[in-house]
Amino acid sequence: MSKKFIDLFCGIGGIRIGMESQGFECVMSCDINEECRKTYNENFHEEPQGDITQIDATSIPDHDILCAGFPCQPFSISGKQKGFDDTRGTLFFDICRILDEKKPEVVFLENVKHLVHHNGGKTLETIISKLEALGYSVKWNILNGADFGVPQNRERIIIIGSRKGKFDFSKIKTVPRGRLLEFLDKEGDFEYLDPCEYTLLEQTKQQPGSGLIFAGYRNKSIRKVGVRPGTMHLSRVHKQPNRIYSVMGIHPTLPSQETSGRYFILTEDGRVRKLTLNECWRIMGFPESYIKVSSMGEQYKQLGNSVCVPMIQAVAAEINNQFFGGDQ
């Protein structure tokens, strides 16, 4: 009998794809964004519920795993207050009240890497302490989508709480990092830049540890304040949309704010072109059969807010192995 999960802050269903790939069954979903709900419904034939703050926890079906890629709202840290008082007013409180009511065996949370440092680390401490107060043993780690088969440097915090013991992140199976080159469309109506629109470095710069190969920049304004002499060509002084990366490495994180999709790559033949929207979907790990119904701008936003699907699949596999005997 398959184990059940709920998909909170479900977005376009990246977590759901990963969980279902391991045999888990989704019994409820919700998201406040109308465009995301349309896309989700098109792909999973299920209309997610809306505002989580308006959902009665008692109405939610019983489930074994609560999954949530929840937004990182500012937390009010109240020190010695008890219960949920120091999370009230945040969306994390809604996760807590559902956990308190339904008591699933596992909670699986995903968020941006910066959550680790938010409010000097106190936000993460509060999240962990609240989950522990609800009866969960909690572990967290930073995982990178680039270690799970997609050529994108996308680091995210994964928090796993269980009533059965602590999750062992070391057992998650990773794969060697690939190159963006293998994920590109072979043909298409590519948007190439004219050589006068960009400047390539005489020698590409391999960025230590990330797999990124900085190759140049579009001829747009760069940050000048606080830039030391001789460092004006380093990638950090160029705003992200202006940077050009080689397809022989991986791509930087696709951000939700870049709704025009200004991602430019140095191809194998030495030309510079824009990454296509389909290529963006591919380096997030979504299947080719995934149905897109929103405008281009909305799709870029949806991708930037989503998860690397293969990373979720790997985590889901270990949740299954460690807590449910791998018997899905």
Side-chain angles (χ1 to χ4, degrees), residues 151-162:
Q152 183 185 173
N153 184 49
R154 192 178 189 85
E155 294 181 295
R156 290 294 185 267
I157 184 172
I158 300 294
I159 304 169
I160 305 290
S162 172

Side-chain angles (χ1 to χ4, degrees), residues 22 143-149 167-176 309-319 321-322:
Q22 302 306 311
L143 301 181
N144 193 331
D147 296 317
F148 298 91
F167 185 75
D168 186 351
F169 277 91
S170 69
K171 293 183 178 179
I172 295 177
K173 294 178 175 61
T174 59
V175 297
V309 174
M311 185 177 81
I312 301 300
Q313 290 174 328
V315 175
E318 277 309 309
I319 288 175
N321 291 335
Q322 295 182 35

Side-chain angles (χ1 to χ4, degrees), residues 49-109:
Q49 297 184 46
D51 187 352
I52 192 173
T53 66
Q54 304 303 308
I55 296 175
D56 182 355
T58 61
S59 70
I60 295 175
D62 291 341
H63 53 279
D64 304 285
I65 308 165
L66 181 150
C67 299
F70 69 105
C72 177
Q73 293 181 322
F75 279 59
S76 171
I77 307 299
S78 303
K80 297 181 180 180
Q81 290 188 2
K82 297 180 181 180
F84 301 135
D85 288 349
D86 55 2
T87 61
R88 197 175 294 274
T90 72
L91 293 174
F92 179 68
F93 169 77
D94 293 286
I95 293 174
C96 290
R97 68 180 176 84
I98 293 170
L99 290 173
D100 193 34
E101 173 65 33
K102 305 305 296 188
K103 296 177 171 54
E105 295 181 54
V106 175
V107 54
F108 172 10
L109 306 180

Side-chain angles (χ1 to χ4, degrees), residues 4-7 16 20 24-29 40 46:
K4 297 175 171 57
F5 71 96
I6 61 173
D7 195 9
R16 178 165 180 162
E20 288 186 338
F24 296 111
E25 177 190 356
C26 185
V27 294
M28 178 265 186
S29 60
Y40 196 98
E46 172 187 321

Side-chain angles (χ1 to χ4, degrees), residues 145-153 175-183 206 210-213 246-251:
D147 296 317
F148 298 91
V150 293
Q152 183 185 173
N153 184 49
V175 297
R177 293 188 175 186
R179 300 180 301 175
L180 183 58
L181 179 65
E182 278 81 43
F183 285 71
Q206 177 88 41
S210 69
L212 297 169
I213 300 177
S246 169
V247 299
M248 306 311 288
I250 67 175
H251 197 274

